[in-house]
Each structure stands twice: as C-alpha cells, then as structure tokens.
Amino acid sequence: MSGLRMSAKVFAVAALLGGIAMVLASLSSARAQEAAVLFRNVRIFDGKGSALSAPSSVLVRNGVIEKISTADVTATAEVIDGGGRVLMPGLIDAHWHAMLVRPTPAAALGDVGYNNLLAGSEATATLMRGFTTVRDMGGPSFGLKRAIDEDLVAGPRIYPSGAIITITSGHGDFRQLTDLPRTIGGMLSRMELVGGSMVADSPDEVRVRAREQLMQGASQVKLTAGGGVASPFSPLDVSTFTEPELRAAVEAADNWGTYVVTHAYTPVAIQRSIAAGVRCIEHGHLMDEASAKLIAEKGVWLSTQPFLDLSGAAALGPSEQDKMRQVVAGTDRVYALAKKYKIKTAFGTDVLFSKALADRQGSMLAALTRWYTPAEALAMATSANVELLSLSGLRNPYPGKLGVVEEGALADLLLVDGNPLENIALVEDPAKNFVVIMKAGKIYKNRFAR
C-alpha cells in the first residue's frame, strides 16, 4: 500500500508541475502574441506603386500590419525610428531551389542529413539577403520548410513543389547510363530516393508522382516539358512529355485546387504545356512571337530569369555550358516579348550548385532594370510574384496578404538605408543596406539593436 501511496504522490506532483508548465507556456505564448513593433518616420514603398509615401508610422502586431498612419501612432511596442528610411515588403524569389543551391550535382545525391543542414544554412543566408519568401521549383524541401515554419531554422517562407517530375532522359533525370535500363515498377534510383526528381513515362505514372508530391504538401506541381541546361542527357531542343502526360498532372493538381508549372524553353514545349492546361511557364528563353502571343491570350504566367552571363557555368560540364550560352543569348528576347505582349511576368533566379551565385540574388533583381524601371522591378519581386503564388488556392501554406505594405498584410518587411526606387543597386548589398529584416512580425536583423 505504501508503494501505491508513493505513486499517487509522485503522480500528483507531476500533474502539478505539468499544470504550472502549461500556465507558463500559455503566458509566454500570450506575451509573444501581444508583442508589437512600431516603425516610426518611414517612407513606404507598398509593393505596387511607383512613389514613396509621406513619412509614416507602421504598427505590427501578431505578425500582421495592424495600422499605417501619417499621424503619430501610440502603442505599447518596440519602437524603431526609421529616420526617413524606406520600408518595403520582403522580396520574393519565384524560382528557387532551396536544397540545390550549395551542393554540387553529385553531392546533392549524397548524405541526406548533411544536405539538409547545408540547406538550412543557405535558408538563413537567403533570409538575410531580404528574400522572405521563395517558391521552390524542385527538390526535397518539405522538411526544411517545416523546420523554418516551426522556427527551428531561420529562413524564408517556402512554397514547395517537391520532386521535379521528368521523363527518362528528360531535364531532371540525373541518372548515369549505367543505371539503364529502367525496370518499370522496379527499384527507384538514388535521385528518386532522396526526392530530387521522379521519372514518369506514362499518364498513369505522371498522375501517381503528382499526387505523391501533393500528399507531401506541394503547393504546386512541376514537370519538365523540354530539355534543360544542367541535365547531362537532356538536349535543350528536345520536347519531353506528351500532351496526355502533361494533362494527367494538370488534372491531379486541379483536383487539389492548385496548378502545374512546366520547365519549358522552346515554342513546342510552351505550346504543348498550354494546350494541356499548364498555368505557368518557367524560363521561356527560346520562345517565339507565336508562343508569346499564346501565353498572353491564355493568361498564363511567365516565370523567367535575367540570365545575363555564365556565372554558374563553372559547376557544369562542357555540353551544359554550351546550353547555358544558348539560354543567356535568349534573355533579351524573352523580356522584350513579355513587355510587347504584356505577359504576366514573375521574377526568379533559378540558382543551382553555387553559393557564390546565390550571394548575387539581389544583383539579379537589380538586373531587371535593363528592361524595367526600379519600381516595376521591385513590384515584380513583391506584389506581382504574390499573384502567381495565389494560384495555389487552398494549398497556399501561408494564407494572407504577402508582398505589400498594407493594413492587414502579413508583416514581412525590409527597412532600407536609402531609396531603392531611385537606386535599386541598394538590394545588391543587403548586409550594408537592409537595416531591419522582419518576417511574420519577427525581427531577424536589426542594426539599431544594442
């Protein structure tokens, strides 16, 4: 009996301690929810317009912009005096590969634990460059996204695609010739096991692979409709999936209320994708007038990148470098056609296998001023990119307004030392020029803090 009494006492003490812990946790959570930040004396670029606001105050509470006013705002909050600096939305990269920025192509198929830690480090660096949201266009980023969302790792919001869906020999098929022939229904290759890409050679296989990515939390599904630069056995001019195969993915995504994007450079790949119901074309650097007109007429998005040099070529083989030269040569044309036909255009960088190139993420944004005004370029990387993200519907992992500085919007904000509407080169040096970086109302960088 004495043992039973002792057990009862232990249980009672444990319950009491547990109750205290719950109360403390609740109080801590309540304090976190009540935490507020007040930006004073800032001029606002709202993500859409072409001019700055008058000096204003912006109150952030519970991760949301609660109030914007040109009058003084009084609140119990941490106060940041902007000193007339520019407050703008966090930047968005619509074509990012969170798991594939730093490893080499071979290392990406190696140690999963190490690659996740590497990607975590890069995610923090991405956020510190002012990119508070990325749309991940292929790779096993679901775990990284969860770690960021749970605040285990500092990083941007991730809209994941999961594994790239490709065909045998298509862009994204990184198997070696020694891995052939593929046994249908047999063992998966290493690239498939790590979740980098999945091979699908029929409508039924495409349907399965698309559903698998959606099951894991994909906000959109990506297929490669044509050849690509980085894949060793994928000529740039080749068209890959058939229209029924593409349509199978579109149907699967549509059933989940979201959409399909395709990697497509050539007119055939673009036109076949649109015929199948794809809602966003990635790249498009080799498109022609007819393809551009079709994209515009159908209201399809073009997510393209300002590839202007061969900075990433060192990580590639000779044949891949030749393909990169062809893509770079098409950059001026794709932006000219996008402007001519008023195509809905998103900004992304598509950095692969190069930390040095990732460090130039802001420089790639600034390069858009070759074709656009600074205001247009910054709007493309904020509010316009959010329009594209919104195509994911109920699969949107971050419901709420992003990419703008408005009352009720999610508080992803940058305080810039200078006016990027006059000097967009400021985004090229975020370490120097981004004074405050905030995501979801939490400050990740504050140069004013002591």
Side-chain angles (χ1 to χ4, degrees):
M1 293 295 291
S2 60
L4 289 174
R5 285 195 295 272
M6 182 61 70
S7 297
K9 289 180 179 178
V10 170
F11 180 79
V13 170
L16 177 61
L17 292 174
I20 292 171
M22 289 177 64
V23 170
L24 291 174
S26 177
L27 290 173
S28 176
S29 176
R31 283 194 296 270
Q33 290 179 355
E34 288 301 317
V37 177
L38 177 61
F39 292 93
R40 282 187 173 145
N41 189 19
V42 294
R43 301 191 67 192
I44 299 168
F45 167 62
D46 64 3
K48 297 184 293 186
S50 58
L52 300 179
S53 72
S56 303
S57 294
V58 177
L59 177 62
V60 173
R61 195 190 307 275
N62 299 333
V64 173
I65 298 173
E66 184 176 285
K67 186 173 184 180
I68 299 175
S69 176
T70 54
D72 191 34
V73 173
T74 302
T76 302
E78 176 183 353
V79 176
I80 296 177
D81 188 339
R85 294 175 177 84
V86 172
L87 190 71
M88 62 173 286
L91 301 171
I92 299 169
D93 193 321
H95 193 120
W96 191 244
H97 293 277
M99 299 297 297
L100 302 175
V101 171
R102 293 194 182 181
T104 64
L109 303 178
D111 188 291
V112 172
Y114 175 78
N115 284 337
N116 274 285
L117 292 171
L118 195 64
S121 178
E122 174 54 42
T124 301
T126 303
L127 180 61
M128 290 301 101
R129 291 192 292 269
F131 285 85
T132 54
T133 300
V134 297
R135 190 178 63 138
D136 194 275
M137 285 287 96
S141 63
F142 296 117
L144 176 63
K145 175 188 180 300
R146 178 180 175 183
I148 291 171
D149 291 347
E150 294 179 1
D151 214 15
L152 301 176
V153 175
R157 304 174 190 267
I158 295 179
Y159 283 73
S161 301
I164 298 166
I165 302 175
T166 185
I167 66 161
T168 296
S169 78
H171 179 55
D173 185 351
F174 285 96
R175 294 174 299 168
Q176 299 303 306
L177 295 178
T178 51
D179 294 325
L180 304 180
R182 176 190 179 209
T183 302
I184 306 301
M187 292 181 62
L188 296 176
S189 65
R190 179 61 181 171
M191 68 175 190
E192 292 171 309
L193 288 171
V194 301
S197 54
M198 303 297 295
V199 175
D201 287 314
S202 70
D204 285 341
E205 284 192 317
V206 169
R207 192 173 291 109
V208 169
R209 297 313 184 200
R211 287 170 175 169
E212 286 173 344
Q213 307 319 307
L214 293 164
M215 182 179 180
Q216 294 175 83
S219 50
Q220 63 283 321
V221 175
K222 180 185 178 182
L223 282 74
T224 57
V229 170
S231 301
F233 305 112
S234 175
L236 207 57
D237 61 293
V238 169
S239 303
T240 52
F241 286 106
T242 64
E243 189 176 322
E245 288 170 332
L246 292 169
R247 192 176 296 113
V250 170
E251 290 172 351
D254 187 61
N255 287 339
W256 279 65
T258 186
Y259 67 106
V260 169
V261 313
T262 54
H263 162 106
Y265 284 117
T266 65
V268 172
I270 291 168
Q271 293 170 21
R272 187 178 295 171
S273 295
I274 294 173
V278 169
R279 299 180 69 186
C280 180
I281 299 297
E282 303 296 319
H283 311 309
H285 290 72
L286 305 181
M287 73 166 63
D288 58 10
E289 290 265 353
S291 301
K293 287 181 66 176
L294 181 65
I295 290 173
E297 289 169 1
K298 297 296 184 180
V300 171
W301 276 86
L302 173 66
S303 171
T304 194
Q305 303 78 38
F307 296 143
L308 293 172
D309 56 48
L310 300 174
S311 300
L316 303 173
S319 64
E320 288 77 51
Q321 291 184 27
D322 181 63
K323 290 187 286 185
M324 180 178 280
R325 280 188 281 271
Q326 294 180 56
V327 169
V328 169
T331 298
D332 273 320
R333 181 170 176 79
V334 73
Y335 280 108
L337 289 171
K339 291 191 70 175
K340 178 178 180 179
Y341 291 103
K342 297 181 172 58
I343 293 171
K344 294 184 290 188
T345 307
F347 164 77
T349 58
D350 192 22
V351 172
L352 288 167
F353 314 130
S354 174
K355 180 183 182 300
L357 192 56
D359 290 340
R360 297 181 56 229
Q361 196 173 9
S363 298
M364 291 184 73
L365 171 57
L368 288 179
T369 52
R370 182 165 173 157
W371 309 280
Y372 302 94
T373 67
E376 289 171 334
L378 291 169
M380 192 182 296
T382 52
S383 62
N385 272 358
V386 170
E387 289 184 47
L388 172 56
L389 296 177
S390 69
L391 295 181
S392 58
L394 293 177
R395 302 288 78 77
N396 186 339
Y398 309 105
K401 286 193 290 186
L402 281 171
V404 292
V405 183
E406 296 177 358
E407 291 183 358
L410 300 176
D412 292 5
L413 300 168
L414 307 176
L415 186 63
V416 185
D417 194 2
N419 182 358
L421 297 184
E422 295 178 350
N423 180 19
I424 197 171
L426 292 168
V427 304
E428 297 180 9
D429 191 352
K432 177 183 177 182
N433 300 318
F434 292 169
V435 180
V436 175
I437 296 175
M438 171 183 282
K439 190 192 81 172
K442 179 177 178 178
I443 296 173
Y444 288 87
K445 174 184 177 181
N446 182 1
R447 281 222 321 255
F448 296 136
R450 294 182 179 179

